[in-house]
Amino acid sequence: MSTKREHEDKTVFVAGGSSGINLGIALGFARAGARVGILSRNQEKIDAAVRAIKNVGSGAAVGFSADVRNPEEVKAALRSTYEAHGAIDVLVSGAAGNFPAMAQDLSPNGFKAVVDIDLLGSFNVLHGGFEFLRKPGASIINISAPQAINPMVAQIHVCAAKAGVDMLTRVLAMEWGPYGIRVNSIIPGPIDATEGMRRLAPTPEALAAVTDSVPLGRLGQVEDVAAAALMLSSRQAEFITGAVVPVDGGWSLGGDRVAAAAILAGLARANPSIRD
Ligand code: NAP
Ligand code: COA
């Protein structure tokens, strides 16, 4: 088990840590005694998240406004966290953007926006973070998505980007293993009360259908994903690297087809030329 003691005094940096699943991960590590740094774009969200993280943990939390598409901003946030809290033991890359759009309705810039945030942004976080990581010993966790494994309509941008994120995981596990750095991906399933689910299953009916399609019979909670991140960063996982780990109640075994139907129904309401 990963105990409170084990993560005490670690430095944890979470890119995209100001809301949702990533904030849940930051809170999970803070509760376990870690010092935390986060980045996202919106200063108000950052300030609120830093207050929440300080409240549950040791009080050591810092936050920075940066766009993951800008490598200099990302590096500055990582450097400032290193200077405030010391070498980074756990680096989480989870900033992402998503909206449903059929390929023919998606502009090249819309495709690029998501690929730039999810894939290039993850590269910027990992590449920029390398020099500040504890070597040996650091654990990197990329937040992927079911779209990385299973194709989903109206998600061509996210499918391409998140499949790329899992390849960052695998390649860096090979390149950085010799430094004693482990690199893994977590694939969250449908997680309750998150922006991602609000965008993909925006009605109560769609959310109910998605919930019914989860083999374990419920939506995930942000705490489920946080628990997996703590486990993957613990001594119990010290021989696990390059793994892509679903934390999804079995959903990626096929339930995400229901999400595709929900997305299509939502798009068809706005544009009758799209058949649901
Ligand atoms: P969320 O609350 O919107 O989290 C996204 C975070 O990334 C926010 O902190 C956001 O803050 C930040 N962000 C977005 N664009 C950014 C940029 N360009 N630069 C820096 N920060 C940026 O969404 P969520 O649903 O919890 O999703 C979190 C992660 O889980 C994502 O990687 C998503 O793909 C993955 N995931 C979610 C689900 C789900 O059920 N929700 C399922 C599978 C995978 P700012 O707006 O302040 O920038
Ligand atoms: N359907 C089709 N295209 C869309 C769209 C939608 N719903 N929303 C945005 N786009 C397109 C825009 O039209 C634009 O393309 P254009 O210049 O050809 O018109 C392109 O995407 C970029 O939009 P912009 O608003 O400038 O991007 P941004 O960088 O400010 O924001 C987003 C990025 C679009 C991903 C935004 O939704 C975001 O910031 N999301 C973060 C939160 C989130 O998605 N959370 C869930 C995580 S899973």
Side-chain angles (χ1 to χ4, degrees):
M1 291 297 292
S2 57
T3 60
K4 176 174 167 65
R5 200 181 183 85
E6 179 165 1
H7 295 295
E8 232 165 38
D9 296 327
K10 282 187 179 176
T11 297
V12 177
F13 185 90
V14 185
S18 67
S19 61
I21 292 172
N22 303 316
L23 174 57
I25 293 172
L27 289 168
F29 277 106
R31 284 191 191 96
R35 299 179 292 267
V36 176
I38 62 167
L39 76 72
S40 83
R41 293 164 302 175
N42 183 296
Q43 190 65 52
E44 275 177 34
K45 278 177 69 176
I46 295 165
D47 292 344
V50 166
R51 275 195 302 276
I53 295 165
K54 282 184 172 167
N55 279 342
V56 300
S58 64
V62 288
F64 305 94
S65 175
D67 192 313
V68 289
R69 291 168 283 193
N70 182 321
E72 285 79 30
E73 289 179 11
V74 171
K75 188 113 180 183
L78 287 154
R79 185 185 303 283
S80 298
T81 300
Y82 172 82
E83 285 167 0
H85 292 336
I88 296 173
D89 298 281
V90 180
L91 177 59
V92 180
S93 176
N98 192 1
F99 51 81
M102 301 298 269
Q104 69 274 21
D105 300 325
L106 183 63
S107 70
N109 196 44
F111 185 87
K112 180 176 186 298
V114 168
V115 170
D116 279 358
I117 299 170
D118 294 25
L119 180 54
L120 182 61
S122 292
F123 177 81
N124 290 338
V125 169
L126 307 178
H127 184 259
F130 179 77
E131 77 172 278
F132 306 115
L133 293 175
R134 188 174 303 287
K135 305 178 199 69
S139 160
I140 294 176
I141 294 174
N142 292 318
I143 305 302
S144 181
Q147 290 90 325
I149 301 175
N150 292 332
M152 201 184 284
V153 295
Q155 291 283 275
I156 194 168
H157 43 344
V158 177
C159 290
K162 292 292 194 179
V165 167
D166 287 346
M167 274 300 172
L168 299 185
T169 291
R170 296 183 180 105
V171 172
L172 291 183
M174 296 178 78
E175 291 195 11
W176 292 355
Y179 295 93
I181 298 170
R182 297 183 301 105
V183 191
N184 294 293
S185 283
I186 288 176
I187 293 189
I191 305 299
D192 197 17
T194 56
E195 186 59 26
M197 283 311 289
R198 276 188 285 276
R199 290 181 181 220
L200 295 188
T203 64
E205 296 74 30
L207 199 60
V210 170
T211 307
D212 282 349
S213 69
V214 179
L216 287 184
R218 67 170 174 88
L219 295 175
Q221 301 297 317
V222 295
E223 290 79 10
D224 293 315
V225 184
L230 266 76
M231 182 276 287
L232 283 172
S233 302
S234 74
R235 277 191 299 276
Q236 275 63 38
E238 67 185 9
F239 204 50
I240 299 177
T241 195
V244 175
V245 182
V247 179
D248 68 350
W251 199 58
S252 54
L253 301 173
D256 45 3
R257 276 173 229 138
V258 172
I263 294 169
L264 268 182
L267 288 175
R269 266 194 304 280
N271 178 0
S273 72
I274 296 171
R275 284 179 302 119
D276 66 6

